[in-house]
Amino acid sequence: MIKSGKDIIFASKLIREGKLVAFPTETVYGLGANGLDAKAVVGIFEAKQRPSFDPLILHIASADTLDTVFKKPINPLIYKLADKYWPGPLTIVSVKNKQIPDIVTAGLPTVAVRMPNHPMALKLIRQAGVPVAAPSANLFGRLSPTKAAHVRDQLRTIDYLLEGGQTNIGIESTIVAVADNRIEILRPGAITVSQLKIDFPDVEVVSSSTEKHIQAPGQLKSHYSPRKPFYLFDQLPDNLPDYAALLLFKPYEIPATAKSKVFLLSTNGDLLEGASKVFSVLHDLEADDSVEQIYAVKVNEEGVGAAIMDRLRKAAYRFTGATDEGEIEV
Ligand code: TXA
Ligand code: MG
C-alpha cells in the first residue's frame, strides 16, 4: 500500500528530494517529480511504464516563472493565453529553456507547460519551489485517474499520494503549440477551439487533427483503454449482448429487450458534465465483474464533444483497430 494523505508540506519536501508524488489537479491526477532533476523524472517513466519518447508537462504555480521554463524572449501570445486561462486546463507548448532536462521533453526542442487550477497542486508546486513534471498518474495506456483510489489501483511504487477527492473537469488539459501569431491545438480539452477563436479573434487558431499534422509524439492512436472490450456506435445495435454496459452522454431510447446496465452521464446532454464523469465511470465498469463489454454512443464533435470523442476513440482503438480521424504516425 502506498503512503497517502493531505500533507502538502511533506509532499513538497519529497519533490525537492527527487521523489515521486501523485497529486490532484482540476483535470486528472498527475504523477509529479522535480522537473529540473533528470534522475527524478526517469522515476516517473519507470513508475508509469511509459516509453521515453512521450514528453511530459511541466506544472508551474505562477506565470511569473514562465521565463524559467521557456526560452527568452517569450512570445507575448503566451502571456496573453496564461492571463486568460491560468490557472486552468490549458497546456502551452513552446521552445524550452535550456535548463529543462531532455528527458522531460523526450529530446524535443519544445516543452509543454501549464498552471493547474487546484489549491493543493498550486501549494505543492509553490512549496517545492521548482516546476513539477507530471503526466497523468496512470499506467501507460490505461485510464486516466480522476480519484485518489484510481492512482492507488495502478501505481504501486510511488513515494506519496496527495489525496484531493474527485477532480472536477475529469479529462486532461487542452494542449496548444504557440508560434508567432498562431495557436495550434494538439490535444482537445475543456478549453475548446471555438473558445480560443472567440477570445483571440486576431490569432490564427488551427486544430492539428483537421490538418493531419502531428507534432506531439505522445499522440498515440490507442490510449486510455479500459481492460475490457469497448465499442463506439453512431446508433446502438438492435441486439445488445446481456453483459454489456451502455455509456450515454444524453438520454437515448434503449431497446425494450436490452438487459444492459445503462450509465447516463448527463440527463440534459451537458457535455462538460459528461466529460467530468467519463473516466470515472469507465474505471467503475473496468472493475465491475458483471460487465463484459462497454458500448458508448458517439457525441457530436462540437465544443467539448471533440475532447470526449478524442478520448473515446483512443479507448476503442485497440478493440476496433481503426479510427475515423485518419492514421496517426508515432
Ligand atoms: O491535464 C493534464 O494535462 C494532465 C494533468 C496531470 O496536468 N497531464 C497530462 O499529461 O495529461 P500526459 O503526460 O498524460 O499528457 C501529456 C501529453 C503528452 O502525451 C504529449 O502528447 C504532450 O503532452 N506533450 C508534452 N510535451 C510536448 C511537446 N514538447 N510537444 C508536443 N506535445 C507535448
Ligand atoms: Mg496521460
Side-chain angles (χ1 to χ4, degrees), residues 28 48 50 54 135-138 141-142 144-145 172 187 223-224:
V28 300
K48 273 186 65 101
R50 175 173 172 128
D54 197 2
S136 49
N138 50 287
R142 296 273 300 278
S144 292
E172 305 86 345
R187 178 175 72 185
H223 221 113
Y224 323 109

Side-chain angles (χ1 to χ4, degrees), residues 27 50 54-55 57 59 110 112 114 135-136 172-173 175 187 216 218:
T27 57
R50 175 173 172 128
D54 197 2
I57 295 174
H59 294 68
T110 55
R114 89 175 186 101
S136 49
E172 305 86 345
S173 60
I175 301 180
R187 178 175 72 185

